């Protein structure tokens, strides 16, 4: 009898945890919402309405213009893709005018290009834009998505009693697992509990979800980027220990390339999102993006910080009214001493003034006795070798950020450094 109980206990644990082995590094891709919202008038707006062509166009750009090559893999449909009614058996349908080929065929289009396919639903009775929600249909919808070869589900949380969230979100996680298809599971659960923080336990959420939104929707403005950063700064002691491979806090989409976002702001968003190891899901028009933004989005050294296998969320370690300094421990790690490499992000929130920032490396926790090789990740320039007692100085543009990588000297390539400026 004892043995039987133990076995039941074990199988329950297995069923309860998501443990799908997915999203070991933060998901990267493209999502429609913040650039195209819920435009459904394809007569008036043929190039910016939510239809299959929009996603195919973005897939084409992602594979032809180098985004896929640097890691942006997922094409994600957001709200407004559905027909207003389910079919006779209760199954979801895509809008027949705007998605005439159907979602399985759209998934195939992505897969043929080496991309993955993400879809959107809502746990409630209706999605946020009023389309059929999954409430009462979780198993059926999970199976529909698996049948369509979907790789990623964003499950929103509009139109549902908030007290049901701890029930429904794990239930959908189990339903996705039960389909046998690997599907990355993105939850909006904590975003709807923002005013009831006592009900948010990220350890519990992380058992069911691969990533989760926890704050307001982003829009293409500096104000919005700042409000997200300030919320994450405020919450970092809760976020950092609950973030890592397979379970990511999601500060929402990258708005780089959209009107209202300057190159400095774009580097600032990218710097902080990568220091956090946040999902990098762009929402912009890849058919029409200036080279400067494409370069920012495709900076491999910066992306490598985000995708570092340790998956650590960086921390704000020094702060003034204008400037925040962030540090993220990452690979390579010295096997002898255990010393980490670090990325350093320096954000200037001031909208007008450049800021000169100076700090002693050791004060921020960079204490490897042999010092560090420091590279500027935005300019691609080597800065030099610095000891923990050395001062490091940099000038940051208004609404901008600088970003560096510090590699312990024992692990760094020092070729060519003989002629570099030593501090
Ligand atoms: C919510 C989400 C957004 C988007 C819309 C769609 O607001 O937070 O990201 O999915 O719903 O209606």
């Amino acid at each position: 009898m004892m043995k039987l109980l133990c076995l039941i206990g074990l199988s329950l644990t297995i069923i309860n945890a998501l443990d799908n082995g997915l999203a070991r590094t933060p998901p990267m891709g493209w999502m429609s919402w913040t650039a195209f919202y819920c435009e459904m008038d394809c007569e008036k707006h043929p190039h910016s309405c939510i239809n299959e062509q929009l996603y195919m166009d973005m897939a084409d750009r992602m594979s032809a213009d180098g985004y896929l090559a640097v890691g942006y893999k997922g094409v994600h449909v957001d709200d407004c893709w559905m027909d207003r009614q389910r079919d006779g058996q209760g199954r979801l349908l895509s809008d027949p005018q705007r998605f005439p080929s159907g979602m399985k065929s759209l998934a195939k289009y992505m897969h043929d290009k080496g991309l993955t396919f993400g879809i959107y639903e809502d746990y409630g009775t209706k999605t946020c834009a009023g389309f059929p929600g999954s409430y009462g249909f979780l198993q059926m919808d999970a199976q529909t998505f698996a049948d369509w070869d979907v790789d990623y589900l964003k499950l929103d949380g509009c139109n549902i009693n908030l007290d049901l969230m701890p029930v429904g979100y794990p239930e959908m996680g189990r339903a996705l697992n039960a389909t046998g298809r690997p599907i990355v599971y993105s939850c909006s659960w904590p975003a709807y509990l923002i005013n009831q923080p006592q009900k948010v336990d990220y350890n519990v959420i992380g058992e069911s979800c691969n990533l989760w939104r926890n704050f307001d929707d982003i829009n293409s403005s500096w104000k919005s980027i700042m409000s997200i950063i300030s919320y994450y700064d405020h919450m970092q002691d809760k976020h950092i220990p609950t973030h890592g491979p397979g379970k990511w806090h999601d500060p929402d989409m990258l708005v780089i390339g959209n009107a209202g976002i300057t190159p400095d702001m774009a580097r600032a968003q990218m710097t902080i999102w990568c220091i956090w190891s946040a999902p990098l899901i762009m929402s912009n028009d890849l058919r029409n993006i200036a080279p400067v933004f494409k370069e920012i989005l495709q900076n491999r050294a910066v992306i490598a910080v985000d995708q570092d296998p340790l998956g650590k969320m960086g921390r704000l370690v020094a702060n003034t009214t204008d400037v925040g300094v962030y540090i993220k421990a990452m690979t390579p790690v010295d096997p002898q001493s255990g010393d980490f490499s670090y990325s350093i992000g320096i954000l200037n929130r001031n909208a007008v003034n450049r800021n000169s920032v100076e700090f002693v490396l050791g004060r921020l926790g960079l204490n490897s006795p042999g010092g560090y090789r420091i590279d500027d990740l935005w300019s691609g320039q080597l800065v030099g070798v610095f000891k923990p007692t050395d001062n490091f100085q940099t000038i940051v543009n208004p609404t901008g950020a600088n970003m560096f990588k510090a590699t312990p000297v024992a692990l760094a390539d020092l070729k060519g450094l003989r002629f570099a400026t030593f501090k």
Side-chain angles (χ1 to χ4, degrees), residues 61-82:
R61 300 278 48 90
M62 280 167 74
S63 67
D65 297 346
Y67 296 94
L68 174 59
V70 299
Y72 297 94
K73 217 170 177 225
V75 177
H76 301 262
V77 171
D78 208 287
D79 208 345
C80 309
W81 61 269
M82 286 176 221

Side-chain angles (χ1 to χ4, degrees), residues 33 78-79 120 128-129 154 156 192 213 217 253:
W33 185 255
D78 208 287
D79 208 345
Y120 168 98
C128 299
K154 169 177 175 180
D156 215 338
Y192 289 86
R213 286 277 312 282
D217 289 3
M253 293 161 248

Side-chain angles (χ1 to χ4, degrees), residues 13 44 64 70 73 84 151 195 243 285 288-289 302 411 413:
T13 343
K44 253 203 201 139
V70 299
K73 217 170 177 225
R84 294 275 175 194
D151 305 296
N195 295 321
H243 187 92
D285 190 344
N288 178 19
I289 184 167
V302 170
L411 306 174
D413 177 3

Side-chain angles (χ1 to χ4, degrees), residues 31 33-34 37-38 78-80 120-122 127-130 154 156-158 188 191-192 213 215-218 252-253:
M31 190 176 268
W33 185 255
T34 307
Y37 292 105
C38 189
D78 208 287
D79 208 345
C80 309
Y120 168 98
E121 240 297 8
D122 187 289
T127 71
C128 299
K154 169 177 175 180
D156 215 338
C158 277
S188 302
Y192 289 86
R213 286 277 312 282
F215 189 63
D216 297 345
D217 289 3
I218 198 163
D252 213 2
M253 293 161 248

